[in-house]
Amino acid sequence: MKERRLSPGGVIMLFMPVVFIYLFSTWPSYEFYAPNESQLLISLKKRTEKTHICDEKEREAFMEEIASKPKHMQVVHRECGSRDRVPLELKIWLDGVESLSKVIKPAGIRSDGVVFVYEKFTFKSGPHDIRITMRDFKDNPKIKVHEFKEHLDFQPRKVTLVSYTPETDALLIHK
Amino acid sequence: MEAESDHVKEMPVEVAKAVKAKKAPKYIPWILRPGNYCLVFVQEKFNWVFTPQLNPLYFLGSITFLLFWVALASGIYLFLFYEMGPDRAYNSVQYLTEGQKYYGGIIRSLHRYSSDGLMVVILIHMIQVFFSDRFRKYRWVAWVTGAAIIPVIWFEGVTGYFLPWDEVAQMTSIAMSQIISTLPISAEPMERLFAHNDAVTPLLFFIMNYLHLAVPCLLLILAWVHCMRISMPLITPPAQITYSILAALLTLSLVKPAVSAGPADLGSLVGEVSIDWFYLGVFVIFDYLDLAGGHALFWGGVVYTGFIALPWVIKDPKRHEDAISTVPQVDVKVDLAKCKGCPLCQQACPFEAMILVNRKDGKNYDTQAEVIPAHCAQCGFCVNACEFGAVSMGGWNKGTFHDYVTKIFTPAPGGNGESIPTSIAFICERSFNLEGFLTDDCMRVATSPDVGVMVVPCIGSVSPSLVEHCYEVGSKGVMVIGCRGLDCHYREERRRVHLSKEDGSHKFMVESIEDNRLRIMLVSPLQIEKIRQDIDEFNEEVKQGVAS
Ligand code: HEM
Ligand code: SF4
Ligand code: SF4
């Protein structure tokens, strides 16, 4: 009953999936970024201020309250003031045009974590004016505004990363 | 004889209905029919080229296993040389590719191409089970686990493409983390892990490496559940197919060794790179359409869930009142009064639906047979496998089958001049379109009135003792006509392939009869004329064989 044919058609059929895999395992290639593109990347994390900060009086009251409790209940790491923190306001201008304006909430269900920022802008390589401002989003005119303002020459297919560290307390280009 | 014809009179009502049958029932839901037709057509072409015994389309599940083993074995070798850390990862893979060109390099290529093949083959496997209507009802477990396997295999491929830490890995990690960031898993955007070169730590390589090792374990578990309700799943392809695939993979690896792109540098943008479309194509689509990960993922998930739920959406077509069906496919029953607790029906069942449980009726046997209705395909294999007539479907058991055959070979009472048939054909009602093929009472082949017919749900329900009974009541030959290979809806061919490797002691297999009066014909639904000829030819043969 067994009939076998090894025809050219059979060989072709057998090699069809092989050729298929041969081709599509690498072809066609794809260009994710053109040679004349550059990228500005802002990636940082920042701990913003608490929504409520204790003044002198409140702090005293708080310390007293803690001291009045039995020793094992004096939770050492608890601090005076609210747990939750304010959002962060981020604004970015590219060549004088406002390209992003965002208010970002801190992480955590109680908004008590840090604020994470990850934003990227892709544009034609060459010189560009970059301005970034960042401040804790709070109704307080005295609050510090971090500003990054520079005229940069963006190299083709290069990523320029602007970051923030609490040590320098400034927005800087990551080297 | 007297007692027997009484029995014939008492046949279930369904028989009377079947005797008037004219129309061929439709088994395939209408929505699958165009795809089903194309599938049958393509399978037919492959059968012509490879023969049904070696048709790779009939072995896709087992080919998937083969490719998986190749990927696993080659992966273990690569793992031994892989080093963790950005530069070390790239260099160690480069060393395998260049430094060990003729072993490490080839093994890396085998690893890549077997994974690509895996994706291709499971997609074809899925299309095939879908359009051959093998994914619904009692098959839902295989369908759902299969559908779950696809994204898992894809994810495995993505973790694999991370490991060489080349430009492709860079693109993959950023694209993948963009997608993951849109999920509410962590507040920190995952892309920050890839913000600059120093952000990428050896720990990340450690995690990815072990993910790449852990996912196959998950795959093995899924594959096990996948085959859980399929008895005797065929997990190794025939030797010729195995060798051909291994040879093809090796050729591919020699002709086009897998290589890395340039080393990853997060301070630069990825330009033009080669893409493995089987795994990374989706990232290209995301990039090209500028899709936001979250939305695409959400809608993709919704569509895919709908797709997985298709077994509950697509329903059986309505059967005609006058459908051709000698044996109705209804609930299977076990008559405990006759059951001896032997394992025959359980062994015959292709879907693990018949089980042996502890004896409950106090009889002196250890076990008794029990059907799990949700697993049961109503294929009828168990009905005739039970030599004691304990299993029945719609009133049909071993005795009724035998009586029906007796009736075919008994002259009509009034003597309407019709001759007694020479031989009998058991025809699977799904194997080809029976409309017009049979006489109106479905008991003869229309063009060869010499050939009696019994239409069965599947030829797996024809047992050796039924064949012997045919000889006893005067049949000179017996034909068993069913589907080829995977075309059999109830995996009868699987049993045959599987059992042929064993000692052949399975009493319910007609194959155990070696006799030239028995002919098993596995036919193509597209060549009805040939079936007619073959039936005629065989009938002539047995006629003369007995005459001489
Ligand atoms: C790693 C991937 C896979 C492996 C190793 C695999 C393997 C197998 C094997 C060995 C069988 C039994 C074949 C037989 O003996 O009749 C089978 C059947 C089946 N597979 Fe898969 N499969 C995979 C993926 C899939 C996928 C992605 C789907 C669909 C979404 C799928 C759906 C099915 C169905 C519905 C059956 C039952 C068919 C029947 O009962 O005739 N499988 N598979
Ligand atoms: S084959 Fe018959 S006797 Fe044996 S266990 Fe099954 S039902 Fe009982
Ligand atoms: S009818 Fe088929 S699937 Fe159902 S119990 Fe019997 S052999 Fe198993």
Side-chain angles (χ1 to χ4, degrees):
Chain A
M1 271 287 271
K2 283 195 182 174
E3 9 160 6
R4 293 218 174 110
R5 304 181 190 88
L6 195 65
S7 63
V11 176
I12 292 170
M13 271 186 180
L14 194 63
F15 274 88
M16 234 158 40
V18 180
V19 172
F20 190 70
I21 293 173
Y22 176 92
L23 283 179
F24 295 109
S25 62
T26 52
W27 176 89
S29 56
Y30 181 78
E31 189 174 65
F32 283 90
Y33 292 98
N36 63 346
E37 280 183 312
S38 302
Q39 197 170 67
L40 170 70
L41 177 62
I42 300 113
S43 170
L44 55 91
K45 62 176 185 207
K46 184 177 183 292
R47 192 171 291 280
T48 53
E49 269 186 10
K50 295 184 167 183
T51 47
H52 177 81
I53 301 170
C54 291
D55 58 20
E56 211 45 41
K57 250 198 206 150
E58 283 171 316
R59 199 186 321 273
E60 263 167 37
F62 179 76
M63 295 314 278
E64 260 168 42
E65 194 197 321
I66 293 251
S68 70
K69 286 189 176 158
K71 201 145 203 157
H72 68 274
M73 281 178 73
Q74 294 179 5
V75 191
V76 201
H77 62 263
R78 270 205 60 183
E79 286 171 34
C80 183
S82 66
R83 259 189 91 160
D84 56 331
R85 293 171 181 276
V86 299
L88 184 81
E89 186 196 55
L90 181 76
K91 287 189 175 181
I92 297 169
W93 290 262
L94 299 178
D95 296 320
V97 180
E98 189 180 81
S99 306
L100 183 97
S101 170
K102 216 172 175 182
V103 176
I104 310 163
K105 271 186 28 184
I109 325 168
R110 303 190 186 196
S111 297
D112 55 352
V114 293
V115 172
F116 291 106
V117 174
Y118 185 88
E119 299 292 342
K120 54 189 177 187
F121 299 89
T122 307
F123 37 67
K124 284 240 155 62
S125 319
H128 290 281
D129 283 319
I130 304 293
R131 184 171 165 230
I132 305 170
T133 63
M134 176 174 98
R135 68 177 184 108
D136 290 8
F137 196 60
K138 201 174 186 185
D139 218 3
N140 177 359
K142 275 189 277 175
I143 215 147
K144 178 170 177 180
V145 178
H146 295 280
E147 184 172 34
F148 175 92
K149 194 174 174 188
E150 254 174 85
H151 182 75
L152 293 170
D153 189 14
F154 286 88
Q155 297 301 305
R157 274 206 187 129
K158 288 287 169 203
V159 182
T160 305
L161 169 63
V162 174
S163 201
Y164 166 89
T165 53
E167 290 81 43
T168 51
D169 196 26
L171 284 166
L172 292 171
I173 291 183
H174 180 95
K175 292 269 151 51
Chain B
M1 204 61 207
E2 192 55 42
E4 254 191 352
S5 48
D6 271 358
H7 203 130
V8 173
K9 266 185 247 143
E10 285 163 16
M11 264 183 201
V13 279
E14 281 85 351
V15 181
K17 203 162 78 187
V19 167
K20 283 192 266 131
K22 285 186 186 67
K23 284 206 182 78
K26 301 263 190 271
Y27 301 97
I28 310 277
W30 63 268
I31 193 155
L32 302 177
R33 269 175 224 160
N36 182 265
Y37 184 80
C38 297
L39 184 72
V40 170
F41 185 80
V42 171
Q43 280 176 183
E44 183 62 16
K45 292 286 164 225
F46 271 73
N47 275 335
W48 187 83
V49 172
F50 295 104
T51 74
Q53 292 78 25
L54 290 178
N55 181 347
L57 291 181
Y58 289 157
F59 298 96
L60 291 173
S62 53
I63 292 175
T64 311
F65 267 104
L66 173 68
L67 291 170
F68 181 80
W69 300 133
V70 174
L72 192 71
S74 53
I76 289 172
Y77 183 85
L78 300 179
F79 176 72
L80 295 178
F81 289 89
Y82 185 73
E83 291 180 25
M84 293 170 232
D87 296 336
R88 301 178 67 179
Y90 185 82
N91 292 336
S92 64
V93 177
Q94 269 316 84
Y95 164 72
L96 276 165
T97 315
E98 304 287 340
Q100 299 190 358
K101 208 168 184 157
Y102 290 103
Y103 38 108
I106 289 178
I107 291 175
R108 179 183 183 194
S109 309
L110 284 177
H111 193 64
R112 176 172 300 180
Y113 294 130
S114 55
S115 325
D116 286 343
L118 201 61
M119 200 44 129
V120 175
V121 176
I122 54 172
L123 291 176
I124 304 176
H125 174 53
M126 183 178 79
I127 293 170
Q128 189 187 47
V129 294
F130 185 70
F131 286 112
S132 60
D133 192 22
R134 270 163 227 273
F135 64 101
R136 302 181 298 131
K137 304 196 279 190
Y138 41 87
R139 285 183 163 105
W140 72 267
V141 172
W143 174 257
V144 171
T145 49
I149 282 173
I150 293 181
V152 176
I153 288 201
W154 173 78
F155 182 70
E156 174 70 356
V158 171
T159 57
Y161 271 107
F162 169 90
L163 295 175
W165 200 235
D166 58 355
E167 286 174 302
V168 173
Q170 176 179 345
M171 177 284 291
T172 308
S173 338
I174 295 177
M176 190 67 197
S177 42
Q178 232 157 17
I179 294 176
I180 293 178
S181 292
T182 58
L183 301 175
I185 299 174
S186 145
E188 177 159 13
M190 197 175 159
E191 296 107 305
R192 279 181 34 81
L193 282 175
F194 304 102
H196 54 91
N197 284 327
D198 305 332
V200 187
T201 59
L203 177 69
L204 186 64
F205 284 84
F206 182 84
I207 295 172
M208 294 305 275
N209 198 4
Y210 280 92
L211 259 183
H212 195 64
L213 267 172
V215 173
C217 302
L218 174 65
L219 278 173
L220 280 176
I221 296 173
L222 281 172
W224 176 70
V225 181
H226 189 66
C227 298
M228 212 162 65
R229 284 209 192 163
I230 301 172
S231 61
M232 295 172 259
L234 203 72
I235 55 172
T236 42
Q240 290 98 321
I241 292 187
T242 305
Y243 295 136
S244 310
I245 288 175
L246 293 179
L249 286 174
L250 204 60
T251 313
L252 204 50
S253 305
L254 285 167
V255 173
K256 187 184 175 187
V259 291
S260 301
D265 170 19
L266 292 167
S268 300
L269 295 171
V270 174
E272 184 169 342
V273 281
S274 300
I275 291 294
D276 183 337
W277 289 83
F278 303 108
Y279 289 94
L280 308 179
V282 24
F283 296 129
V284 174
I285 295 168
F286 269 48
D287 186 84
Y288 186 78
L289 299 178
D290 211 2
L291 285 177
H295 287 125
L297 201 70
F298 177 78
W299 288 113
V302 169
V303 171
Y304 198 66
T305 312
F307 177 67
I308 296 180
L310 281 180
W312 293 275
V313 178
I314 297 179
K315 298 276 185 235
D316 272 341
K318 278 214 178 68
R319 283 182 77 120
H320 296 293
E321 272 299 296
D322 50 356
I324 293 172
S325 165
T326 314
V327 180
Q329 288 186 278
V330 292
D331 283 351
V332 170
K333 296 204 171 70
V334 178
D335 180 359
L336 276 189
K338 295 181 189 161
C339 176
K340 309 275 185 283
C342 72
L344 283 174
C345 57
Q346 184 212 20
Q347 288 176 350
C349 176
F351 294 101
E352 308 270 332
M354 186 64 94
I355 52 169
L356 291 182
V357 296
N358 284 338
R359 199 77 197 191
K360 290 171 191 155
D361 61 358
K363 281 226 178 80
N364 196 19
Y365 301 107
D366 291 343
T367 52
Q368 65 184 49
E370 202 171 284
V371 194
I372 309 172
H375 297 193
C376 176
Q378 299 169 343
C379 64
F381 287 19
C382 51
V383 171
N384 267 313
C386 178
E387 285 294 325
F388 308 97
V391 185
S392 64
M393 187 161 75
W396 286 77
N397 64 3
K398 182 189 167 188
T400 343
F401 265 82
H402 286 209
D403 292 347
Y404 193 80
V405 169
T406 310
K407 188 177 155 191
I408 290 174
F409 287 92
T410 308
N416 61 0
E418 208 177 52
S419 61
I420 294 177
T422 326
S423 54
I424 182 169
F426 292 97
I427 306 181
C428 157
E429 56 178 344
R430 298 181 77 119
S431 57
F432 61 97
N433 188 345
L434 287 170
E435 217 165 290
F437 197 86
L438 309 177
T439 52
D440 279 356
D441 62 2
C442 289
M443 291 175 107
R444 306 275 175 119
V445 174
T447 49
S448 328
D450 253 7
V451 180
V453 169
M454 178 169 188
V455 181
V456 287
C458 173
I459 55 167
S461 57
V462 180
S463 67
S465 64
L466 184 62
V467 173
E468 269 153 21
H469 179 74
C470 296
Y471 298 151
E472 277 163 24
V473 294
S475 180
K476 297 186 172 70
V478 175
M479 287 165 265
V480 179
I481 303 176
C483 313
R484 290 168 163 180
L486 199 89
D487 295 348
C488 171
H489 194 69
Y490 303 106
R491 309 176 56 258
E492 154 71 2
E493 175 74 4
R494 288 293 177 267
R495 289 202 309 175
R496 190 169 292 128
V497 174
H498 187 88
L499 295 177
S500 64
K501 291 182 192 155
E502 302 205 337
D503 60 0
S505 65
H506 295 267
K507 288 203 219 143
F508 50 83
M509 296 291 291
V510 249
E511 275 72 5
S512 59
I513 302 176
E514 277 189 33
D515 183 343
N516 53 14
R517 287 183 298 166
L518 170 72
R519 168 97 24 110
I520 297 166
M521 301 178 185
L522 303 181
V523 299
S524 155
L526 303 180
Q527 296 180 23
I528 299 183
E529 210 35 58
K530 180 160 187 310
I531 303 171
R532 255 190 208 113
Q533 281 169 14
D534 286 353
I535 291 178
D536 268 350
E537 233 166 67
F538 178 74
N539 193 42
E540 281 309 309
E541 240 173 67
V542 290
K543 235 192 234 169
Q544 277 159 22
V546 173
S548 62

